[in-house]
Each structure stands twice: as structure tokens, then as C-alpha cells.
Amino acid sequence: MTAVPSGPAFSVHDIPFSTYGSWFDISPVVAEKTYAEDLHLVSHQNGMHGVLRLVPLAPGTGERAETRVEATPALLRWTGQSGGVDLAYESPDTVRLRGSGLDFGVFAAARALTPFSGTYFFHDPAAGGHVFTSYETGRRYRVTVLSGTLAEVAGAQALGSADRGVAVSADADGVWEIAIEELDTSRPPYTSSATFDAVVESAGRAFAEFVDAVAPWRSSATPAAELAAYVVWSATVRPAGLVTRPAVLMSKHWMDKVWSWDHCFNALALAPGRPELALDQFALPFDHQDETGALPDSVTHSEVLYNFVKPPIHGWAFGHLRRLLPALPDQDQLAQIYSRLERWTAFWLTARRAPGADLPHYQHGNDSGWDNATTFDPERVVVTADLSAFLVLQLHELAGLAEEVGKPDETRRWTAAAERTQAALLDQLWTGDRFVARSASTGDTWSSASLLDLIPVVLGEHLPAEISSVLADRIKAHLTPYGLATELTTSPHYLDDGYWRGPIWAPATVLVEDGLRRAGHHRLADDISARFRALCETHGFAENFDALTGTGLRDRAYTWTASSYLLLAEAHAHRGSR
């Protein structure tokens, strides 16, 4: 058997096994919060679909063998009493498997085949392999035996309900090997000159090069850096379908999309070491910007949704991105970024400002990214302080970009707009001790126990000192031993697993930490950073975390969480080296 390569070990129940560029992973997670008994090949083309069931089998009997599963970035292993099976990615669309002492079955996950759903199975006499065709993904999955023999072929050409698949066993030398490919219509018969060990070595080398690029600063003081890098690396897909660039999905579990604010945190984490990939992350939602300037809510392989938007954090994000990139984008790139940010800003100043209003509004909590935050309990069409704060930062960023692209008159226009918007924000939503939300239709105002009401701290150096100090004091009340609760834990609306009504989230942490630091509240910012980093080092990179126990919640392999850890860990490492 192949020696286990170096790299962080992880549980496939939490983090899918995959590789950079691939649209499929190997995991027991086959749907939202749904765990199968066996590992599956799970494709994310046309949605999330567990296509093939991968089953270690007892030699001679064909019964399912009890095994334990171990994973590192380059190698997945099943180990049983009588032997083991190894799996590694040869390329983004091909995995190789090798085993001894155990047989192995590759079966269609679904037994039912209808004219519109399920998996058809047949032997391809031209290519020499066995092929599964999936209605759900619109792709084919070809199994080619490289060594060993077929112990079973079930359901070839069967219609209706049937077991479908193959089982492979070893020849006299005791070793078998197969390849599984995800393909479109056809390709030449599978061949490879690479040995299985060479495949594993190549996969390990590819990950090592990535982690060395994005986390060269890592040390024993940042013990989760390599696993964070793996979460990001393995969730990256090649361009396909409606995904126009290499894209870091939020997860290769069920959150398999790019949402139009999540992508910013991945871009920032990638910027120093993988600048082209970082710029692709920043740009991808803008590739689908509509005629009004709005960004889509989300983008994935076969779907672009426009029913909601996400907050305009892109000026804030690009301001940081340009400082993290090893080289400034060229003039053509800057001009394109300026044009796209200008249109995105115009959307908020026109389509999202009521007649005579100075400040923009959200139409639903989903627009803010804080879907069900208690700020939105009284009403959903709401003028909130976080939105105006983000817009102020975006207007300032546009002013600087306008100067760089040779539009000084627009620099003055954007600067004036930023000043007007901030003045209106402080005049209309600041009460002297807190920010309030306001109904876009009635003008009624209210406050809540949500951390969202404190997000205007992101204005940092632009805030009057007395306001940033009040916000800092209120932010302290949200701190638990693990980080920033999104709802005060003393609130009657607090829920342990309440999405944005209590759990700790990475983007809120990064935005608050950054705003506090730029406003001069370094000690509090350091504390928030340290608690979040310790949380990830103990509980991983979940979508969000129980604020009172630290337990990871929802999707357990979320890239903006991993990227936020990398951002905060890198900044901490650099501060410590000064």
C-alpha cells in the first residue's frame, strides 16, 4: 500500500476529499445534512448529486467490508481487517483506485431509472470500460479496470429499478487497480503511463505548492493553516457552465455556489500568493452583473440567481485586495474594476433609494447577507446602518480609482457622495448611543440585539472617535470565549443554531476586527482575532459556530471560514514579526 503522504489529516465526514479544479468530491455527504453509510462520488455539475456509491467488499463473499477511512490532501484510504483501498486524483476529472486484500464495488447510487432521472449503466465496447450516465449531472462516469478482474457486473443496460455497477477483485499478485472518469459525451479509451504512487506524489506536490504560496508564513503558532488552505484548494473548480473563471465554491458540500459577498473573503486570502486566482474570485460575480448594475445573489455551474443581492462590501474588499496583491492590477484591469464598481454603486443609489431618500435600503435580510438577523424582525424593507457604511467605503474607493484611471472630476463627485452619505447616516440613524434601523416606507425606527447594528464600525478611521468607542464597548458585549455572537447571548431571540441569530460567523468577525483596528481599538481587535483563530484551530471551518460551545454548525467545510482564518493568521504572524 502507498505510504500516507505528509499533510493535514481530516475526516471526510466534515471535509470532502477533492482536488483543485474538480467538479466532484468523495464524501459520505450526499445532500444537505444527509450522510450516507458509504462514501460517494458526489458531483456538483447541475447541482449536488451523489452519483456513485464506493464500497469496499470482503473477498470471496462480496459483502460490504467494515473499514475505517483516513484522508490527507493527496490520498484517501479505506482500511479493513484483510486489506485496504487507496484513492487519489490523477487529474480534476479522474481518480485512480488501488487495493489489496479487499474487493471493491462501484455502484449507481440510485436504483430507480426513469426517462428523466437516475443512472443508466452499460459496457462501452468501443472504449472498453463500463459507463454510468447520470440524468442529474448530465455527465458520464467511466470505470476502466487497469489490473485485476471483474468479480461482478450488475444491471448493464437494465431499465427501471435495478442494482447497477461493477465489483473488482485482485489477480494472483493480490493487487487490483481501476480508474474512474467524469466526462461529457466520449473520449478515447483511458490510458496512463503514471503509476499509482506517482499519481499520489503529484497530487501531494500540487497541494504543497498551493499551501506554500498562500501560507508561507505558517508555523506552529498557526496550526490550522494547512488544513484551511486545503479547504480552499479542494473547493476550487475549473471554469464550466455558468462559472466563467476558476472559482472557489463556498463548499463542496451542499453550499456549492459562489455568493456575491462570500467571494471577497476568498479573494483576500489568496491575494498575496495566488494573485490571478484572487482577482478571478473578485471578478466572477461581476461577470454576471445585470443591466441595472446589480450583482446576482449567487452563481454556480448551471444557475445564476437574481432574486436577492448581497451587500456592497466590494469597495472595502478591493481596497484591501490591492494592498495584499504583490503587484497592482494594470490600467486595463483597473478601468474594468472601476466601471463595474461604478455600476454596482449606481444600483444602490438609484434602484435602492426611495424618492427623496438619502440612504439606500435592503428589500430583505437576504440582501444583507445576514438573512434572518433580528434587525429585520419588525420589517424586511429596511434602511440599515451597515448598508450605508459599506456604501461610504465603496464611494471612497471609487474616488481613489477614478484618480488612477484619469477621471479627476469623478474623484471629486465620489468623494462628495461619500461625505453626504456618511453625514446622512450619522444624522438619521445614530441616536447618540447606537445605530437604529428604519422602515423604508413608514420611517419608524428600532434597534435590536444583533451584531449587524454594530457593523458600521467597519468605517474605521472615517468614524468620529466617540462613535467608534461606543461601538467598541457594545461589541465587547457580543464576545463569548469563542468569538463574536451575532445576537447577544442574553437576548430572548438568541438561538444556539439560529443562523444569524446567535452563531459566530467568519465574515462578521473579519469586518468587525478590521474596522476596530483601523479605528485604533487594537487590543479589542487582537482579542477578537485570537478567539476566532483558536475557534478554527479547535473546531474546524464550519459555516458558523455555536457561540457558547464553539461547536461547528451547518456546512462543515466552508471556504470563507477557512479564508478568514488565513487572513487573520497571516496578519497576526506579520504583526508578531515586526
Side-chain angles (χ1 to χ4, degrees), residues 22 29 41 71 91 211 262 283 286 289 303 445 456 475 558:
S22 181
V29 181
L41 186 154
S91 69
V211 73
D262 308 42
F286 286 96
Q289 193 169 22
E303 175 186 270
T445 62
I475 286 165
Y558 216 73

Side-chain angles (χ1 to χ4, degrees), residues 370 373-375 434 446-454 474 477-478 485-494 500-502:
W370 293 54
T374 54
T375 302
R434 66 176 63 234
W446 60 86
S447 61
S448 76
S450 175
L451 184 64
L452 182 62
D453 292 7
L454 306 177
R474 289 190 174 277
H478 284 262
T486 46
E487 179 82 5
L488 286 174
T489 58
T490 55
S491 164
H493 305 296
Y494 174 85
W500 292 93
R501 300 170 81 92

Side-chain angles (χ1 to χ4, degrees), residues 329-351:
D330 62 34
Q331 280 297 302
D332 288 342
Q333 289 174 308
L334 287 176
Q336 183 186 61
I337 291 166
Y338 174 79
S339 173
R340 289 174 159 190
L341 278 179
E342 179 184 33
R343 294 175 58 216
W344 178 220
T345 305
F347 165 79
W348 289 100
L349 294 176
T350 53

Side-chain angles (χ1 to χ4, degrees), residues 64-85:
R64 183 179 183 276
E66 290 299 319
T67 59
R68 71 176 186 274
V69 177
E70 301 166 296
T72 59
L75 184 68
L76 176 71
R77 170 172 292 171
W78 292 263
T79 303
Q81 287 188 339
S82 62
V85 177

